[in-house]
Amino acid sequence: MDRVSALDESLTKTLGPATAKVMAEQLDLHTVGDLLHHYPRRYEERGQLTRLADLPLDEDVTVVAQVADSRILKFNGGRGQRLEITLTDGSGRLQLVFFGRGIHKPHKDLLPGSRGMFAGKVSMFNRKLQLAHPTYVPLGRDSGDEAVDSFAGKLIPIYPACKGLESWKITKAVDAVLPRAGEAVDPLPPSLREGRGFVTLPEALLKVHRPDTKADVAEARDRLKWDEAFVLQVALARRRYADAQLPAVARKPVAGGLLDDFDATLPFTLTDGQLTVTREIFDDLATEHPMHRLLQGEVGSGKTMVALRAMLTVVDAGGQAAMLAPTEVLAQQHHRSITEMMGQLAEGGMLGGAENATKVVLLTGSMGAAARRVALLDLVTGEAGIVIGTHALIEDKVRFHDLGLVVVDEQHRFGVEQRDALRSKGKQPPHLLVMTATPIPRTVAMTVFGDLETSVLDQLPAGRSPIATHVVPAQDKPHFLARAWERVREEVGKGHQAYVVCPRIGDGEDEPKKKAAAEKAAEAEGDKRPPLAVLDIAKQLAAGPLAGLRIEVLHGRMQPDDKDDVMRRFAAGEVDVLVATTVIEVGVNVPNATAMVIMDADRFGVSQLHQLRGRVGRGSAPGLCLLVSEMPEASPARARLGAVASTLDGFELSRIDLEQRREGDVLGQAQSGVRSSLRMLAVIEDEDVIAAAREEAVSVVSQDPELAAFPELRTALDALLDTEREQYLDKG
């Protein structure tokens, strides 16, 4: 819950304008209710020492530690002086540094053997972690000290902090608003709260901020986690209920139609998984309420085939189907592969077209005016049964004759408004099929896509080959990299093709900000080199290890016609090695490509590496993916690459990915950048809580969709569903 209406008073009034301004700008906290729901990240016991071994670089931290030694050093020929203090906790060491006149007070306060709380931003100097001019509170040196009184014998809350607002300042601010916790509106129906043995919301807020024991923390967390899960699941259940009341045109399969003709031409048998998922989709399409289904499938599991058969069913039933792709490269690829799969069935109205044929139209932003006019006309007249396009499909001037199905490919790349705009083009709400090749753990699907029914394709079609993945430590073992290029040559020698993927384009027109950010990130990692670039690597390969091979580049800043030309020639086998950015990450299907070398692989996320790897091994020959990295063997980055190399299970990798990223990042991205409402709930760890909350939510909503009997729950929902979030939930 983001806000509780009874606690909507501005923090400016309670804490003063200066503190309130920092809280609003840095932590997105604006009201008393916001601050009460800004929970401690963890708790320290007085005298218990924090692990210094795990401090993250470039982040604001709070540590409780002991002073090991303290010394004043002169520099600038004795004109300048600095105080260096070393902290220890048994696991690691951290250096504090103070300069100039600022050294006298800490020199007096922080004597060897004393303890304190220290806050600041972790930086690296001379290969040592340090805090420069940290703020601090001594602990336990003087029993009359106010700080010690407030912390003695209690758990010390450590809050998520920011520059200018350390954890203990947030503690003071929370103290100022905590008496208002009694006014918090409790969203849980009393029977549910008592049945599950939860404390009241005011009590949970008091216990989470000022616990006397660890049992207090556990009680508070259990209750607050449940609130977050339950309120969000009620919102999703109400959305599902409302969607189920909407009218839609039933699109039932027609015997002897386009789908039957298409199936008769298939040179392979559909997998059991494809048949099962197809039945689920066909059942949804046959109802008079819009389908809202999420189809998630492993890379290469045949989602496009399932989507195409759904589109053909809708065309048979007199409607049109639109497929929305995130990039022009992918839209063109889908158009090319679908027209190839359909053959004469995609030549409606043309000489030589089959009897049941329809037109398959491509619509992208870069099309010429004449081609665009023809495409728009085919849509409005109904000549085109299937249209494949980018966001250009959403423009006002695009009109459909009878839009019956919208297929959204790679859902996470589209904003809510874009999906809604396309859905609004039907006379009645069209059926919706959302596809993603990023495997989503069940709990995330329930939390982020809880308004969509889920189908999973986890079986690879027959004839798909295994992909061997290896980490290539370029820094430690340069001869491994030389061998990688030899392997590429060997694959090309067998008549196959290869991809080389780089994180950056490097055409000299790179946005200065982007380049500066990349260099800064590299510096923070103790690595002065910016990420490797497509154009640089292509030149080096052409002049060196891959000389004589046909090498082309592909990246997002090329003209659409040029991109399409390169992809066509690569698909036709006229290019041996394609050096590209992640523009090839999704949907690109070249069965003859068997090898992929990913440069600076540590700069990509786990799921992204899995997606990229899925571009090889799509034919009968085995695939090979080489992850090149200069990171040292013991680094977390190398561990991540090792995980990718060790399994082809996308669901396992997505769990690893989620565990390594902050919860808010995951949900924020999936919710179109809206701030995550989850402060306490962890979607991976709290699977049981989410599943139970979903059951309770469905039960409440089915009995009382308007929540007339639950005004407090309505208040909490209104707080959760600010305008942006309402739009997110409206995506279904």
Side-chain angles (χ1 to χ4, degrees), residues 478-494:
H479 59 287
F480 275 36
L481 182 57
R483 176 68 188 130
W485 301 127
E486 283 173 19
R487 284 292 290 112
V488 170
R489 273 193 174 282
E490 287 166 15
E491 288 303 306
V492 173
K494 292 176 193 167

Side-chain angles (χ1 to χ4, degrees), residues 3 19 48 53 71 149 186-187 368 371 374 459 638:
R3 295 184 176 80
T19 303
Q48 177 187 322
R71 58 195 173 281
D149 283 348
D186 198 323
V374 173
Q459 186 183 3
R638 276 284 289 280

Side-chain angles (χ1 to χ4, degrees), residues 564-637:
D564 198 36
D565 178 55
V566 169
M567 271 317 302
R568 265 181 205 288
R569 288 190 292 114
F570 188 64
E574 295 164 19
V575 173
D576 298 321
V577 179
L578 187 62
V579 185
T581 57
T582 54
V583 73
I584 59 141
E585 177 186 349
V586 177
V588 172
N589 184 27
V590 180
N592 192 46
T594 55
M596 175 176 284
V597 181
I598 304 178
M599 308 301 292
D600 279 346
D602 48 271
R603 296 181 192 259
F604 299 98
V606 168
S607 292
Q608 198 173 27
L609 290 169
H610 184 56
Q611 289 289 317
L612 287 165
R613 167 171 66 183
R615 299 307 107 210
V616 296
R618 300 176 78 84
S620 54
L624 172 69
C625 180
L626 302 174
L627 307 173
V628 179
S629 172
E630 294 185 359
M631 297 304 280
E633 195 167 355
S635 65

Side-chain angles (χ1 to χ4, degrees), residues 53-90:
D54 304 326
L55 288 179
L57 205 56
D58 262 348
E59 279 193 29
D60 289 291
V61 298
T62 303
V63 298
V64 176
Q66 186 165 0
V67 176
D69 59 58
S70 168
R71 58 195 173 281
I72 293 176
L73 303 170
K74 306 270 188 194
F75 60 92
N76 270 356
R79 290 193 297 279
Q81 52 183 4
R82 72 174 180 271
L83 170 66
E84 285 184 1
I85 293 173
T86 305
L87 302 182
T88 182
D89 70 346

Side-chain angles (χ1 to χ4, degrees), residues 300-311:
S301 58
K303 291 182 302 299
T304 308
M305 175 59 70
V306 169
L308 175 55
R309 295 182 75 241
M311 292 194 283

